[in-house]
Amino acid sequence: MVDPAGGEGTRTWEEARQAIRAGRGIVILTGAGVSAESGISTFRDPRDGLWARFRPEELATPEAFRRDPRTVWEWYDLRRRGVLGCEPNPGHRAIARFLLERDDTVVVTQNVDGLHQRALEDEVEAWGQGADEALARAAARILPLHGEILRVRCSRCDYNAAHREPVNSDSKETLPRCPQCGELLRPAVAWFGEMLEERVLERSIEAAASARVCVVAGTSALVHPAASVPQFTLRSGGSLVEVNPEETPLSARARWRFRVGAATALPRLLDP
Ligand code: APR
């Protein structure tokens, strides 16, 4: 059932809402489209997608970092400042409220922008007692499959930490170095050709396999293993809800498809 824009498909919206609210175990898989309405470019938009303006193999690979760490850091620091200049949109906020309300919900995100985490912080800001604990419990159920651009990790040892300060890429000497071993620090994101963090991927698949509903929002569903996560919900008899203005390889498997932006659809699907 496709609901092109809402109106005549009100029954469709209500059916999907009921399925999400009744389901024990919900996974929400998000991609760059969920952050598009926060002003962050997606990857494959032919007009202004990141990969239309930069060649990923020149910037988002371990080889590029070994060859020219300054240029890689210059690009990532530009993206980091861009992300920090953006705000979570109503789609992120609706997911955050749902995460806080439902401890059986897991968000598997391909996005490295940290806006899901920031939306959680915004949502509990007005809370009093217990806000920190609720925030920690909900944040632990956000699985950043491709890493986090506002964290750094050592290119040699296991050092990994939050890092929101600007990075000075004027010279190799001004690039950040590991406080444990002195090696160059890199953005804590998965680059092309690298394995994803195994534990994060395992948890994503476990959550999808036991989910009654998987909401797939804002992803072209072209990059694996992320695009395979919803298949585990289908294999265990669950349903897919797709939120994307465009068709994707998952569309045919989705029981409900909403061809509207995530900032519109997600509050309508997830809020009580
Ligand atoms: N709401 C919902 N979906 C949207 C919106 C919106 N407002 N705007 C665009 N979209 C959809 C597009 O139709 C597209 O299907 O979001 C999707 C974005 O697709 P991509 O740009 O391919 O981004 P994503 O699916 O997240 O890419 C996956 O590829 O290069 C890697 O690591 C990178 O995590 C990224 C991965």
Side-chain angles (χ1 to χ4, degrees):
M1 281 164 267
V2 179
D3 176 80
E8 73 288 351
T10 306
R11 184 174 57 81
T12 315
W13 283 94
E14 198 43 41
E15 277 175 8
R17 275 174 52 78
Q18 288 310 321
I20 292 167
R21 300 209 68 84
R24 277 308 295 166
I26 303 292
V27 164
I28 304 174
L29 172 68
T30 64
V34 167
S35 295
E37 288 159 285
S38 292
I40 296 179
S41 297
T42 62
F43 288 91
R44 291 169 181 83
D45 182 320
R47 297 177 304 254
D48 73 344
L50 278 172
W51 299 149
R53 286 178 281 143
F54 299 93
R55 292 168 52 78
E57 56 277 8
E58 282 168 7
L59 292 161
T61 66
E63 294 71 30
F65 188 72
R66 268 194 294 279
R67 185 178 60 246
D68 185 358
R70 279 190 56 260
T71 303
V72 172
W73 259 121
E74 187 178 2
W75 184 58
Y76 272 93
D77 195 49
L78 191 66
R79 284 182 65 194
R80 286 154 50 95
R81 277 181 279 139
V83 160
L84 286 170
C86 295
E87 291 300 323
N89 65 56
H92 294 110
R93 300 287 296 256
I95 289 174
R97 287 191 294 273
F98 198 78
L99 259 179
L100 287 162
E101 178 198 339
R102 298 274 298 261
D103 61 6
D104 63 327
T105 299
V106 167
V107 173
V108 177
T109 186
Q110 301 170 86
N111 300 341
V112 297
D113 56 34
L115 287 180
H116 287 305
Q117 289 84 345
R118 284 173 55 197
L120 269 186
E121 291 161 15
D122 293 349
E123 284 299 319
V124 299
E125 204 170 352
W127 290 26
Q129 186 74 16
D132 292 346
E133 193 207 333
L135 176 62
R137 272 205 323 272
R141 285 179 278 114
I142 295 175
L143 303 180
L145 211 45
H146 293 171
E148 298 178 74
I149 203 169
L150 296 176
R151 292 184 70 86
V152 289
R153 69 180 173 89
C154 180
S155 38
R156 178 164 57 191
C157 75
D158 63 355
Y159 179 79
N160 185 312
H163 184 288
R164 295 189 175 189
E165 303 74 31
V167 167
N168 178 348
S169 55
D170 289 348
S171 75
K172 201 168 175 184
E173 288 62 43
T174 60
L175 293 178
R177 289 208 170 255
C178 175
Q180 286 179 177
C181 75
E183 187 47 73
L184 278 176
L185 291 175
R186 52 169 278 185
V189 297
W191 280 332
F192 287 98
E194 289 187 318
M195 299 294 287
L196 300 186
E197 274 196 55
E198 200 169 332
R199 188 63 198 119
V200 177
L201 181 56
E202 278 171 7
R203 284 187 60 197
S204 302
I205 291 170
E206 283 162 12
S210 56
R212 297 305 302 144
V213 178
C214 178
V215 179
V216 184
T219 181
S220 57
L222 294 172
V223 172
H224 293 269
S228 309
V229 166
Q231 303 289 356
F232 288 90
T233 302
L234 290 169
R235 266 186 229 145
S236 60
S239 304
L240 296 193
V241 178
E242 183 176 60
V243 172
N244 194 323
E246 311 285 337
E247 288 280 306
T248 75
L250 283 174
S251 297
R253 307 292 309 274
R255 186 164 171 199
W256 296 281
R257 299 187 291 273
F258 298 100
R259 294 286 171 254
V260 292
T264 304
L266 291 173
R268 196 166 168 188
L269 287 170
L270 299 177
D271 280 344

